[in-house]
Amino acid sequence: MSRRPTALIADDEPLLRESLARQLAQIWPELEIVGQARNGREAVEMFESRHPDVCFLDVHMPGLSGVEAAHQIGGRAHLVFVTAYDHYAVQAFAQGALDYVVKPVERERLEETVTRLKQRLAAERPAPNTEGLLQQLADQLARLQSGGAPAPLRWVRAQVGQTVRLIQVDDIDYLRSDTKYTRIAWRGDGGEPDEALVRMALKELVAQLDPGQFAQVHRSVVVNLRAISHVTRGENETADVHLKGRNEVLPVSRSYLHLFKQM
């Protein structure tokens, strides 16, 4: 390919679109991003007018999903799905004809995808016939939307000062209710304790977390079980949770003491 390769990014989250564009600019500076679509329908319209070589499509978008958009694009571009739900993506993409990256997109994983895309473009191979795989993925999405339990939340968008951060759920130590917001205590890139504020009530956020990883220990506190150092019994059927590498001590109210009934 003598001309610059081109790509389209489609995601209803503007922050994620911009983040992916920045990462691609660093990893693949020759790539020209010719459009950023806010939904599946806009992605198809941009594709028809700009004909990019590669389409990065969010699986879940309003109006027209990434899978439905991919059906309309057909084999006219190399497709990379961006998804927060790797549990079905792994199965659907196991044959390697389609590629995917999981949100939040990690640089190492994106580098692998870019390497494969460069090889396909350099060989001037047409995009593979993906109709069968797209149908598998569409079926999985339909099952999920018809009542199948959604996958637990994997990342949270949060305010840190004047910056919006994408925090991996695994990095969260605990969450505390703060009126209409939820304060998140998490670990930054260097493992240092940090805090952020989410514009979402604790109850609403907890409903999306993995109950095997997070436990409510107080009306206003939810803790990552992996972050607990030890628990000490207090007075009047209460207890205190001590965390690894943090000075804060979290209260355990009587209603939740059964979680530590072996004490």
Side-chain angles (χ1 to χ4, degrees):
M1 176 179 287
S2 56
R3 61 174 177 81
R4 291 180 62 183
T6 55
L8 166 70
I9 296 174
D11 196 311
D12 59 325
E13 289 280 354
L15 188 69
L16 295 179
R17 290 199 307 270
E18 294 162 8
S19 174
L20 181 56
R22 281 197 302 273
Q23 290 188 77
L24 286 169
Q26 295 171 359
I27 297 171
W28 196 358
E30 302 83 12
L31 183 70
E32 180 183 2
I33 305 297
V34 295
Q36 293 191 29
R38 297 168 296 181
N39 52 59
R41 199 169 305 281
E42 197 170 87
V44 173
E45 291 173 356
M46 284 188 180
F47 175 81
E48 297 296 348
S49 62
R50 305 173 191 184
H51 307 292
D53 302 303
V54 183
C55 293
F56 291 87
L57 302 172
D58 180 24
V59 171
H60 290 276
M61 290 188 288
L64 200 65
S65 74
V67 178
E68 292 169 326
H71 268 300
Q72 296 197 26
I73 292 170
R76 295 179 289 167
H78 295 275
L79 303 175
V80 179
F81 284 101
V82 184
T83 175
Y85 303 94
D86 58 345
H87 65 291
Y88 60 76
V90 170
Q91 180 183 343
F93 304 130
Q95 296 179 47
L98 290 170
D99 207 342
Y100 75 99
V101 289
V102 177
K103 297 179 182 179
V105 179
E106 296 180 351
R107 182 183 177 97
E108 184 177 349
R109 180 66 181 82
L110 186 58
E111 286 175 343
E112 295 173 2
T113 295
V114 167
T115 298
R116 283 193 288 272
L117 289 169
K118 284 181 176 179
Q119 291 170 347
R120 291 171 185 168
L121 292 173
E124 298 186 349
R125 291 200 298 265
N129 183 348
T130 56
E131 279 304 306
L133 291 177
L134 287 174
Q135 190 57 53
Q136 285 182 34
L137 186 53
D139 292 344
Q140 289 179 337
L141 283 172
R143 284 196 295 272
L144 188 67
Q145 293 168 352
S146 65
L153 198 65
R154 298 187 70 251
W155 56 271
V156 177
R157 188 174 62 177
Q159 190 82 27
V160 182
Q162 298 302 313
T163 304
V164 176
R165 295 292 301 268
L166 294 176
I167 300 173
Q168 291 205 49
V169 167
D170 288 344
D171 293 335
I172 296 174
D173 287 337
Y174 68 92
L175 307 97
R176 188 187 290 270
S177 177
D178 187 345
T179 59
K180 295 181 181 178
Y181 305 99
T182 299
R183 187 167 299 278
I184 296 178
W186 60 294
R187 303 282 176 165
D189 296 338
E192 295 299 316
D194 207 339
E195 286 195 355
L197 206 59
V198 177
R199 296 178 183 273
M200 186 183 299
L202 179 65
K203 182 179 179 180
E204 185 180 353
L205 185 56
V206 168
Q208 302 177 59
L209 297 176
D210 181 358
Q213 184 178 358
F214 288 85
Q216 187 144 17
V217 296
H218 187 274
R219 177 173 52 85
S220 61
V221 179
V222 171
V223 65
N224 186 343
L225 298 175
R226 298 172 185 169
I228 294 178
S229 167
H230 60 283
V231 180
T232 55
R233 182 180 287 278
E235 298 179 350
N236 300 323
E237 295 297 313
T238 63
D240 291 324
V241 169
H242 300 260
L243 302 167
K244 300 172 186 174
R246 280 186 177 272
N247 296 325
E248 303 99 306
V249 177
L250 307 178
V252 180
S253 63
R254 186 181 303 174
S255 302
Y256 300 99
L257 194 62
H258 66 278
L259 297 172
F260 310 101
K261 59 183 178 182
Q262 69 274 23
M263 291 174 55

